[in-house]
Each structure stands twice: as C-alpha cells, then as structure tokens.
Amino acid sequence: MDHSEGPAVRRRDVLGGLAAGTALAAALDAQAADRRKRYVSVGVGSRNRMFQQALWGPHKAHGELIAACDVNPGRLDYLAREATKAGARPPKPYLAADFDKMLRELKPDAVIVTTPDAFHDDYVVRALDAGCDVITEKPMTTTAAKAQRILDAVKRSGRHIRVTFNYRYSPFRSQVKELLMAGEIGDVLSVDFQWLLNTVHGADYFRRWHSNKAISGGLMVHKATHHFDLVNWWLSDMPVSVNATGKREFYTPEMARRFGLDGAHQRCRTCPEKAECSFFFDLAADPALKALYLDNEKYDGYFRDQCVWRPEINIEDTMNVIVGYAGGTTLSYSLNAFNAWEGYHIAFNGTKGRLEHSVVEQAGVAGAGGHSVDDRIKTRIVPMRGDPRDIVPQTGAAGGHGGGDAVMLADIFDPNAPKDALLRAADERSGAASILVGVAANKCFETGQPVKIADLVTGLDWPVYAKMPSHKAPVAQPPRMAKA
Ligand SMILES: NC(=O)c1ccc[n+]([C@@H]2O[C@H](COP(=O)([O-])OP(=O)(O)OC[C@H]3O[C@@H](n4cnc5c(N)ncnc54)[C@H](O)[C@@H]3O)[C@@H](O)[C@H]2O)c1
C-alpha cells in the first residue's frame, strides 16, 4: 500500500487551523512523531472487533482507527466505549449516509470494510474512487456484476485492495502449501474436499443476515469463498468451469415438525417453544453479543437470533460442486451445514502420491472440548509407492482461525513484517476468483447448466502466485511395487 498519505495531523489542516507559531511548531512535532497509518472502518459489528483489537493492541504503533461508520448508532456508541476501555482514542462516529463526508473530511489512508457481504462493493468502490486503499473482509462481494465494478474501480483508481483471507495464514494450511510447492506428491491432478458445518456455529448462518441470499450470496459465496480461495491458492491456479447442485432440506419448517415442534417462529427470544427446541439460542446469555446486537435492536430492527426453521430462509444447506482449473486439475467439493462436527477433509491426488489433510474446527455438542491440537489436525503424505508418512502439523499463535488471524494482521499492519514466500496476501484478483466459483455454483443451482468463469466477468487477471511444480512436466513411471 502507498504510505504517502501518512500522518495523523496533515500539514495543510494544521496550517489552516492554527495561527500561533508555537502551537504550529508543536503540532508539526506531533505530526512528525506520529507516522502511523490512518484507518477508518465501515460496519462495526462482530468481525470489525478483530481490527479494532489489532489497532488498539499489537499494532497500535503502526496505525490508528480514526473513525467508524455504521447504519446503527448504538453500535457506534458501543465502539466508543470499547475504545475508551482499551485506552484508545474513540474513533469519530459517522452514520452510513455520511460515508463520503467521512472520507472527504479525514482523508484516511485505508478503509476497512466489514459490513454484511452485499454492501462491500459499494463502500469498496467509493473508497477507491476517493483515493483510499481498502482492506475488505471476505467474500469480496456477492455477484459477478459487483465483482466487475470492483475490478474496474481498482484499474481506474490505481489504489489497492487487500481481501482478508485469513484461512491461508493458519500455520497448518500454510504447511500444506509448502508440501505442495516442494513437489512431495508431484503434480496435482485432482482434489477431493469436504467441508462440514455443525449445528452450533453452522446453524448460526441460518439465524443471521446470512440466511438471506441477496445479502450473503448464500453459503457458496459467504462461506465457500474461503474454501475456493484455499484451493486456488494451494494449486496456484485459476478456476475455469463450474458444475453444481444445491438444496435446502434441513433448516425448514417441515424439519422442525419432524423434531416434534409446531414449526417456525420469528426468533428465539420470544419463541413459545424455546424449552423444546435444541436449536434455541440465548442472545442475552453472552454479554458481548447482548451489547453488540440485543441492546441495539431498537435502532435497526435486526434480530441476531432468528428462527432457523423460518420458511423465508433462501440459502442452501447441502451443496456439491465440481470445478475445472486452467492447469487441468479438477476439484470435487461439498459443503454440508447440519453436521455433528465442524471442519474438513481434503485430499490432493498427485502424480507421485496423495496428500491428505483434515481438521476438526469444532466438535459436536456432546463431544465439545477434549480434542488436543494433535487430535484435531492431521496431515499425511501417502506416496504412490512406499509407506505413508504423518506430518507433524505446524501450529502457531493462539487466536482466531487456527492462529491465522494474528499472522495475517501482522502482514497487513506491520510495515516490517517478513517477506512472505507463500504470497498469502490476497488482492481483488483472488477475491474475485474465489467468489466467482460460488456465484457460478449459485447459477448452476438455478439452471442446472455448467458455467464458465470467463462468461461472468471481463478483465480478471491471474493473481501473483507462488511457483508450483509444473503441471506439464513429464511424469516418470513410478517404480514397480516390490513383491510381497
Ligand atoms: N474472515 C473471517 O473469518 C470472517 C469472520 C466473520 C465475518 N467475516 C465477514 O465480516 C463481515 C461482517 O460480518 P459480521 O459477522 O461482523 O456481521 P455483523 O452483523 O456482526 O456486523 C455488520 C455491521 O455492519 C453494519 N451494517 C449493516 N448494513 C450496513 C450498511 N449498509 N452500511 C454500513 N454498515 C452496515 C451493521 O450495523 C453491523 O454493525 C462480513 O462480510 C463477513 O463475511 C469474516
């Protein structure tokens, strides 16, 4: 990113606002001392807290959150209280209607976008056109038309976008990339990938705004953008074709009745069946959730605990996708949102063997806890000839997403972060390449027809990827198996 917009007190503001020479000198001293980058956030809900805590904690020497913008004034007040508690200056509050005014008044270096998914593009494009860089949460956006707007705005503005694909940074996933780059299994010809969401965290997608496809793009975009990005990045390749089927069969009023409930209600808090429903979610029980959502419902009418059996939910809970890659690899992927445990299995089938990797992210309700890191993460190389070899998983700092969040935040905020051989920093090209697989899958659900990625947007360049063993290298005949 360009550091040229720099310091907290701008020379022109200072010259315009201060008359006295000594005050001017003091302000210019303060300016010289404060070389931190100036950030503003839009959408200050749950995810934005990761950025707040980074800028009030380990990265306070690198940047300051100078302002925040949201549709909900209650959440802006809550943010101010949290900043004061953390010993930081409360960010200047702006309502969403004043987003452009905020950019005009403050001229920040970068805008952190953490609104619900379908609103990202609007803020990203306005920020780029105002001359700011952008850090946006995944998914970069939700439709091909919105992705096109962003790709065009980056080219037009010359500014930069960072898409926060934190999954790339989990040490054990970075390790998989290293094994593939080292050619341990040769060229990858196909990938089998199953992702499971459980009925604790996974069911939450059906309670929140995520259950409305117009806002989240459905789980193919909102959730699977992480997974498609991982495969794109693991393979250093670009998806070219998609075929998929998807359905919602579990989170339905019919399923509620199969569980002996009367059916769907509006929300858990006022539900007459809260004692009978094992999906009951008590929003008041967690002080942070209460402060963030329940206490601020009066401003926007948003319920964070909507019934998971509501008929109006329009996202899928069962999805199967086949993706073709430019380099010839095929991916077979499934996402299921009502399982006993949460996590994934992936296998890369290569010309010299198979790499198997699995992670339990969250155990089932009954078995919660009790999983050590060694139980939870497994990586194994199974050579085409010879004995399988377990790989000791790399694990990192504690914290969100397998320690990935902390590594990623250092990569974003710390100007002295080490150079990354795995090229994990993602921009709009990776952001688009991953969501377009989900967008194409959504299209397949509607039409039953395969979709070509090239038909969705124009001008999508390849991201800069780390070098992999060539797909086109001649494949040596594997040695004969020894007779038993
Ligand atoms: N990388 C990850 O692992 C990860 C994890 C969680 C969330 N996310 C992403 O972060 C983003 C935010 O998710 P969240 O869980 O914090 O949601 P949230 O509902 O907790 O917060 C969203 C915030 O945006 C505000 N908002 C809504 N509409 C707005 C608008 N039009 N303009 C301005 N503000 C608006 C809401 O009032 C709220 O404060 C999403 O894009 C989500 O996909 C990423």
Side-chain angles (χ1 to χ4, degrees):
M1 287 189 182
D2 182 356
H3 291 244
S4 58
E5 281 285 354
V9 183
R10 274 154 209 289
R11 192 178 176 86
R12 58 180 175 272
D13 300 339
V14 169
L15 289 174
L18 294 173
T22 47
L24 176 61
L28 289 174
D29 280 353
Q31 173 183 353
D34 194 352
R35 302 218 170 277
R36 297 182 300 168
K37 289 192 84 175
R38 305 164 74 248
Y39 296 95
V40 299
S41 283
V42 56
V44 293
S46 164
R47 187 58 175 168
N48 193 258
R49 289 191 297 179
M50 176 188 76
F51 296 98
Q52 295 157 21
Q53 281 152 14
L55 289 171
W56 298 338
H59 298 292
K60 64 180 172 203
H62 305 134
E64 185 183 11
L65 185 62
I66 57 167
C69 176
D70 202 293
V71 283
N72 189 312
R75 270 193 281 281
L76 288 169
D77 285 349
Y78 177 62
L79 168 62
R81 293 196 297 277
E82 290 294 290
T84 306
K85 255 199 258 169
R89 189 158 41 157
K92 190 167 178 195
Y94 287 85
L95 285 174
D98 291 328
F99 177 77
D100 297 319
K101 181 170 168 240
M102 171 176 77
L103 300 188
R104 270 196 315 275
E105 284 181 357
L106 302 178
K107 299 183 175 53
D109 294 306
V111 178
I112 299 170
V113 180
T114 45
T115 63
D117 309 338
F119 310 129
H120 289 183
D121 69 304
D122 190 37
Y123 290 115
V124 167
V125 168
R126 284 153 79 186
L128 292 170
D129 283 338
C132 303
D133 288 331
V134 170
I135 299 164
T136 180
E137 259 305 341
K138 52 54 55 177
M140 185 173 83
T141 185
T142 50
T143 69
K146 286 166 182 260
Q148 188 71 63
R149 284 189 73 209
I150 293 177
L151 294 172
D152 294 345
V154 172
K155 289 190 175 141
R156 176 169 73 235
S157 68
R159 306 310 302 184
H160 301 285
I161 296 191
R162 182 72 176 260
V163 183
T164 50
F165 282 127
N166 46 340
Y167 280 33
R168 294 182 176 193
Y169 289 85
S170 305
F172 45 87
R173 297 193 188 110
S174 298
Q175 183 181 33
V176 167
K177 175 75 177 169
E178 282 162 2
L179 292 165
L180 294 170
M181 281 168 72
E184 286 268 355
I185 59 161
D187 301 343
V188 178
L189 303 186
S190 67
V191 181
D192 302 314
F193 195 0
Q194 293 173 285
W195 199 289
L196 314 179
L197 297 168
N198 68 7
T199 54
V200 182
H201 173 250
D204 233 18
Y205 293 112
F206 297 81
R207 294 190 180 102
R208 296 179 284 162
W209 50 260
H210 311 62
S211 59
N212 181 347
K213 208 172 206 179
I215 301 187
S216 68
L219 291 176
M220 278 288 98
V221 172
H222 173 82
K223 185 68 187 171
T225 185
H226 273 308
H227 314 152
F228 297 135
D229 176 69
L230 277 176
V231 178
N232 297 350
W233 169 74
W234 269 327
L235 298 177
S236 290
D237 208 344
M238 282 290 258
V240 289
S241 63
V242 176
N243 213 337
T245 61
K247 57 185 180 176
R248 176 169 62 97
E249 231 169 30
F250 186 81
Y251 296 102
T252 62
E254 295 73 35
M255 194 58 69
R257 284 191 282 276
R258 280 175 65 175
F259 285 136
L261 301 165
D262 278 350
H265 299 278
Q266 186 189 32
R267 64 180 305 194
C268 290
R269 195 165 165 73
T270 51
C271 180
E273 297 190 285
K274 55 173 85 160
E276 290 84 44
C277 180
S278 73
F279 287 73
F280 169 69
F281 174 70
D282 186 358
L283 188 53
D286 178 325
L289 290 182
K290 178 178 176 301
L292 207 48
Y293 303 105
L294 189 58
D295 294 350
N296 296 315
E297 286 176 356
K298 54 183 174 287
Y299 298 107
D300 60 10
Y302 172 59
F303 298 153
R304 165 73 178 72
D305 63 345
Q306 295 170 81
C307 177
V308 299
W309 314 118
R310 277 150 38 245
E312 65 268 24
I313 292 174
N314 63 0
I315 62 170
E316 295 76 18
D317 55 31
T318 308
M319 294 138 276
N320 297 78
V321 186
I322 306 284
V323 184
Y325 277 84
T329 310
T330 42
L331 162 69
S332 167
Y333 167 85
S334 67
L335 178 59
N336 181 292
F338 51 91
N339 255 276
W341 61 277
E342 186 154 316
Y344 63 93
H345 290 296
I346 189 164
F348 299 84
N349 302 305
T351 49
K352 294 202 280 181
R354 177 173 160 101
L355 190 163
E356 297 172 350
H357 172 61
S358 59
V359 175
V360 178
E361 293 202 327
Q362 216 181 60
V365 176
H371 277 267
S372 71
V373 167
D374 293 347
D375 292 336
R376 292 196 303 107
I377 305 170
K378 294 197 190 310
T379 305
R380 202 158 89 119
I381 300 282
V382 188
M384 197 170 280
R385 303 282 186 267
D387 294 329
R389 191 171 103 242
D390 285 328
I391 306 287
V392 178
Q394 268 172 24
T395 51
H401 301 97
D405 286 356
V407 188
M408 179 187 73
L409 289 165
D411 200 22
I412 293 174
F413 291 124
D414 184 350
N416 303 313
K419 209 166 158 2
D420 184 8
L422 304 181
L423 302 183
R424 287 172 291 189
D427 64 16
E428 73 288 348
R429 294 168 291 188
S430 294
S434 68
I435 67 121
L436 289 174
V437 178
V439 167
N442 280 334
K443 216 167 165 181
C444 296
F445 298 166
E446 283 169 21
T447 64
Q449 298 300 313
V451 173
K452 286 192 169 42
I453 298 290
D455 292 341
L456 298 178
V457 291
T458 55
L460 171 59
D461 301 325
W462 278 56
V464 180
Y465 284 135
K467 195 166 160 20
M468 301 296 286
S470 166
H471 287 267
K472 301 283 174 253
V475 180
Q477 175 77 4
R480 277 169 186 279
M481 290 286 272
K483 281 219 172 96

